Amino acid sequence: MPDAKLLECFPSPAPKRDFIIEHVAEEFTSTCPKTGHPDFGTVTVRFIPSKVCVELKSLKLYLQSFRNEGIFYEAVTNAIADDLAKAMKPRWMVVETNWKGRGGIRSVITVEVGKRQK
């Protein structure tokens, strides 16, 4: 599995305020464990930070480390959510992976961490 130690964080500029950050990685790739073919998708991370935010270069390097990983879509999405939740401890977070179609089927996987206050 990719190394979550690649993820670096910095202090939130407004730790007492709820605000939503959205990061979109449009060139995500991993490898299908069944066929060995590349899987292409977009990873969207939305979160309300608590004390820290993820640093973008470290997020990019972390996501790129999945490139040669033989892993199913569902496992990718849950691994990213788990690693980011551990690194940032956000108040709320959604990780969504939107995969390019293969064989006429597209997949979207969504993981929510915490409950968003309404």
Side-chain angles (χ1 to χ4, degrees):
M1 286 298 277
D3 189 359
K5 292 177 186 169
L6 292 169
L7 295 168
E8 297 177 17
C9 296
F10 63 92
S12 170
K16 294 182 181 181
R17 174 180 295 137
D18 282 357
F19 64 101
I20 298 173
I21 297 171
E22 179 176 285
H23 299 309
V24 180
E26 297 176 318
E27 299 176 348
F28 184 86
T29 57
S30 59
T31 302
C32 176
K34 286 285 200 184
T35 66
H37 295 151
D39 289 321
F40 301 96
T42 298
V43 176
T44 302
V45 179
R46 287 180 205 90
F47 65 98
I48 297 174
S50 181
K51 295 180 181 176
V52 299
C53 304
V54 68
E55 191 276 326
L56 288 181
K57 182 177 179 185
S58 75
L59 178 60
K60 176 181 136 180
L61 293 173
Y62 168 75
L63 293 175
Q64 286 176 345
S65 71
F66 281 88
R67 186 160 286 155
N68 296 317
E69 197 71 33
I71 186 169
F72 290 109
Y73 300 157
E74 299 81 359
V76 166
T77 313
N78 278 281
I80 293 168
D82 290 346
D83 290 343
L84 285 172
K86 185 176 178 184
M88 293 190 300
K89 297 175 183 56
R91 291 187 179 114
W92 168 84
M93 179 176 61
V94 169
V95 175
E96 179 181 283
T97 56
N98 190 328
W99 300 90
K100 299 277 187 199
R102 183 185 293 166
I105 298 175
R106 291 182 61 248
S107 298
V108 177
I109 314 298
T110 305
V111 174
E112 185 171 5
V113 176
K115 295 292 177 194
R116 185 168 172 196
Q117 300 297 322
K118 302 263 177 178

